[in-house]
Amino acid sequence: RLVEAETLHRRVLNERETLLGASHPGTLRAAHYLAKMLNKLDKRDEAEPLYRRVLDGREEQLGARHTDTLTIVHALAALADKQGKLADAERLYRRALDGREEREPGATLISHEHAHLCAQPGGAARGTGRPGQAGRGRDAAPPRAQ
């Protein structure tokens, strides 16, 4: 069924590109859905350029700190993490986290994926100035607000 869904997502993307153009928000949404489907199918090398295309479009249309843009940044971070590209994953997770904290002052909880990355040897939490985050595992409970 996932393969059938992939085929349908590709068809929708192709039709939207033809009818609406490559940078139309509806086309970018279709590209995002296809990227998510490819990621589920472990076709990460195909998903990455689609996520980057969506990121470029959203940055141009909505700005780098918009919630929808940051959602794609986070998706790219998770993809890089799954691909073992930990330096890229760390950079992207930090960008998503910083953007979220900027939009929601005081929001200091980190994502499970970022916590997982931090738990890796030489992970993201070392030197961040965020006490208690180094060495936390993927399923660790988030820190309590004080």
Side-chain angles (χ1 to χ4, degrees), residues 124-140:
R126 284 129 181 89
T128 63
R130 295 182 179 135
Q133 292 182 3
R136 293 170 49 111
R138 178 180 286 267
D139 296 318

Side-chain angles (χ1 to χ4, degrees), residues 47-118:
E48 184 176 1
L50 283 170
Y51 276 131
R52 292 203 182 276
R53 172 182 162 189
V54 174
L55 178 60
D56 290 345
R58 290 206 176 148
E59 284 176 331
E60 183 178 312
Q61 293 170 8
L62 304 173
R65 298 294 193 187
H66 190 278
T67 302
D68 291 347
T69 304
L70 296 172
T71 296
I72 299 302
V73 171
H74 186 268
L76 269 169
L79 181 70
D81 192 4
K82 288 178 184 176
Q83 291 173 318
K85 300 176 182 178
L86 298 184
D88 287 341
E90 177 180 355
R91 179 181 52 78
L92 291 163
Y93 278 133
R94 283 180 190 264
R95 178 178 166 193
L97 177 63
D98 290 346
R100 178 173 177 240
E101 286 178 341
E102 184 178 294
R103 292 187 62 81
E104 301 174 39
T108 58
L109 300 180
I110 61 174
S111 70
H112 291 297
E113 293 86 358
H114 191 237
H116 172 70
L117 181 65
C118 292

